[in-house]
Amino acid sequence: GQNIDQPTEMTATEGAIVQINCTYQTSGFNGLFWYQQHAGEAPTFLSYNVLDGLEEKGRFSSFLSRSKGYSYLLLKELQMKDSASYLCAVRDSNYQLIWGAGTKLIIKP
Amino acid sequence: EAQVTQNPRYLITVTGKKLTVTCSQNMNHEYMSWYRQDPGLGLRQIYYSMNVEVTDKGDVPEGYKVSRKEKRNFPLILESPSPNQTSLYFCASSPIPGQGGHEQFFGPGTRLTVL
């Protein structure tokens, strides 16, 4: 079966750095997405990785290792507004998105 | 403004009373999809559509119907709602998924309660 694993919840301090991991086992691979979702709101796109390596976009970076079935989202200089759930999703061989359950990130002052 | 709209945003209904949740996008996207989101389970796909008159089942299609008569609209129909369909529903759209990093754009969500 297809599976995406992420930690359920993480806590970090304002101004710090946090890394959210995602491991996956899917039927084929056509890219990995990270989305941010604030409570009660729609998911919004953060990043896309299809090749191995690091993609940097401001305070957020995303890393992919296809051989290990592994990705992480790195958030720097954490702000209170970063408190949200972070969803990892993999596009499989049929180009359908398989979603992880999400990681709830709690930022403390 | 490019967007996906859903209506209603909130709905409380009773078991067996047919309902429709509308979804519309103004980005000329070919691909549209319906998800439900339940605590601890993440997003689960109900149905998707690659283009007009083309629809396919997702992971949890039982109890739902969809139609795609126009490119912009993708309504979700619950013919006889049951309490286990109480959930948060999202509609999403994107260009045809392919080799590019086409992200999905999500509607604001519909919170449905079936009593």
Side-chain angles (χ1 to χ4, degrees):
Chain A
Q2 307 200 89
N3 194 49
I4 310 282
D5 283 318
Q6 311 177 227
T8 302
E9 186 174 296
M10 299 181 70
T11 301
T13 304
E14 188 177 15
I17 300 172
V18 70
Q19 177 175 311
I20 302 173
N21 296 325
C22 170
T23 58
Y24 62 89
Q25 290 178 306
T26 56
S27 303
F29 178 85
N30 283 298
L32 184 144
F33 295 80
W34 284 97
Y35 282 76
Q36 180 189 60
Q37 185 179 26
H38 286 99
E41 297 182 8
T44 55
F45 171 76
L46 286 177
S47 69
Y48 170 74
N49 294 71
V50 66
L51 299 176
D52 290 351
L54 188 68
E55 293 281 342
E56 297 187 80
K57 193 185 289 187
R59 293 190 298 116
F60 292 7
S61 303
S62 56
F63 171 83
L64 174 67
S65 169
R66 287 171 296 170
S67 63
K68 295 182 178 178
Y70 168 70
S71 172
Y72 68 73
L73 180 69
L74 192 71
L75 291 75
K76 304 175 185 176
E77 301 170 16
L78 286 170
Q79 302 174 10
M80 297 304 293
K81 68 178 182 179
D82 298 330
S83 292
S85 289
Y86 292 86
L87 313 180
C88 175
V90 172
R91 183 178 281 156
D92 69 9
S93 56
N94 293 320
Y95 291 96
Q96 296 306 307
L97 282 178
I98 311 301
W99 294 83
T103 298
K104 183 178 181 180
L105 178 63
I106 299 168
I107 309 296
K108 294 186 175 180
Chain B
E1 180 190 354
Q3 60 183 348
V4 179
T5 56
Q6 293 178 229
N7 282 292
R9 295 287 315 279
Y10 304 90
L11 179 61
I12 300 174
T13 189
V14 295
T15 300
K17 185 176 182 182
K18 181 179 178 180
L19 67 92
T20 299
V21 184
T22 64
C23 173
S24 184
Q25 52 94 4
N26 62 3
M27 294 168 279
N28 202 36
H29 287 162
E30 292 84 5
Y31 182 90
M32 297 186 75
S33 179
W34 274 104
Y35 297 94
R36 61 177 290 174
Q37 188 175 38
D38 301 289
L41 294 180
L43 288 165
R44 292 183 292 168
Q45 190 176 52
I46 303 170
Y47 270 94
Y48 65 96
S49 170
M50 288 288 199
N51 216 324
V52 177
E53 302 291 2
V54 181
T55 62
D56 278 297
K57 295 178 180 179
D59 298 318
V60 289
E62 293 78 20
Y64 305 94
K65 286 175 58 177
V66 292
S67 69
R68 188 88 183 276
K69 296 176 181 172
E70 303 169 285
K71 198 171 187 179
R72 74 179 83 172
N73 296 325
F74 191 45
L76 179 70
I77 303 153
L78 285 72
E79 294 271 5
S80 183
S82 62
N84 65 11
Q85 292 178 299
T86 292
S87 187
L88 179 58
Y89 291 86
F90 288 104
C91 179
S93 74
S94 74
I96 285 283
Q99 295 297 329
H102 293 304
E103 74 267 26
Q104 293 191 2
F105 295 83
F106 284 81
T110 295
R111 188 167 292 280
L112 172 66
T113 301
V114 183
L115 302 174

